[in-house]
Amino acid sequence: MEKEYTAEAFIWRFLFSLNAFFIGFPCFVIGIVGVDNNGSFPILRLLHVLPMPQNMDSDAAICFSLGVMAFVATIIFLIMIYGWLFNVCSSKYLKILVVIGCCCGIPNAVLCLSVGTMSFGIGMLILPAVILSVYLTIWYFKNRSGDGMSQS
């Protein structure tokens, strides 16, 4: 028998996700915005809102692709939090988004936890968001309620 979803559970989930997101916010911003002027805002450059650099070396191309992946992972992380907050049963579409978010988020999280912690000391700030995203991934795949979007 499942526990009933109460207002107390909603408030606990909301505060935990807000805390994890705001503690990791500097890492999200660094990942999305970029650190150098030449490759800033890679998602806007990919969408041709800002001009693309003419020549990219391998380091710039890796930073560019990591920035785009960080943007996608952050958006999917917010979608996962939204579904968890309102206890929405996952559908196949949401499970596919979770897998895409994992594929985009894992390289950024590993890079932020390893290089970011050694270089800047700011990399450990992403740890609560990583723990929450691992928990949410398990929560989405454990919830086997069928294909429809229904409240549990």
Side-chain angles (χ1 to χ4, degrees):
M1 185 165 157
E2 287 186 34
K3 288 184 180 179
E4 187 175 316
Y5 184 68
T6 61
E8 180 183 347
F10 173 81
I11 291 172
W12 182 85
R13 288 177 179 187
F14 179 74
L15 291 176
F16 189 77
S17 21
L18 196 67
N19 188 19
F21 189 75
F22 281 124
I23 288 175
F25 189 73
C27 295
F28 289 125
V29 170
I30 289 171
I32 292 171
V33 173
V35 291
D36 59 342
N37 291 335
N38 196 16
S40 296
F41 293 104
I43 192 68
L44 294 178
R45 294 186 186 282
L46 182 70
L47 298 174
H48 297 292
V49 175
L50 294 175
M52 287 285 284
Q54 295 298 333
N55 296 329
M56 276 200 271
D57 59 346
S58 62
D59 291 341
I62 289 172
C63 289
F64 180 81
S65 60
L66 282 174
V68 172
M69 289 187 339
F71 178 78
V72 171
T74 303
I75 297 299
I76 293 174
F77 181 59
L78 292 174
I79 292 170
M80 287 169 58
I81 288 175
Y82 181 79
W84 182 56
L85 280 178
F86 294 105
N87 205 29
V88 175
C89 295
S90 62
S91 65
K92 287 183 182 180
Y93 173 72
L94 286 175
K95 288 181 182 180
I96 290 170
L97 278 180
V98 169
V99 170
I100 292 170
C102 288
C103 292
C104 291
I106 289 173
N108 285 297
V110 168
L111 188 70
C112 189
L113 285 172
S114 60
V115 176
T117 301
M118 290 186 292
S119 302
F120 310 114
I122 201 168
M124 290 302 284
L125 293 177
I126 198 75
L127 197 56
V130 169
I131 292 170
L132 179 61
S133 64
V134 168
Y135 173 77
L136 289 178
T137 302
I138 293 168
W139 184 80
Y140 270 101
F141 282 105
K142 247 185 170 178
N143 191 1
R144 306 198 194 294
S145 64
D147 296 338
M149 295 283 291
S150 61
Q151 293 287 81
S152 57

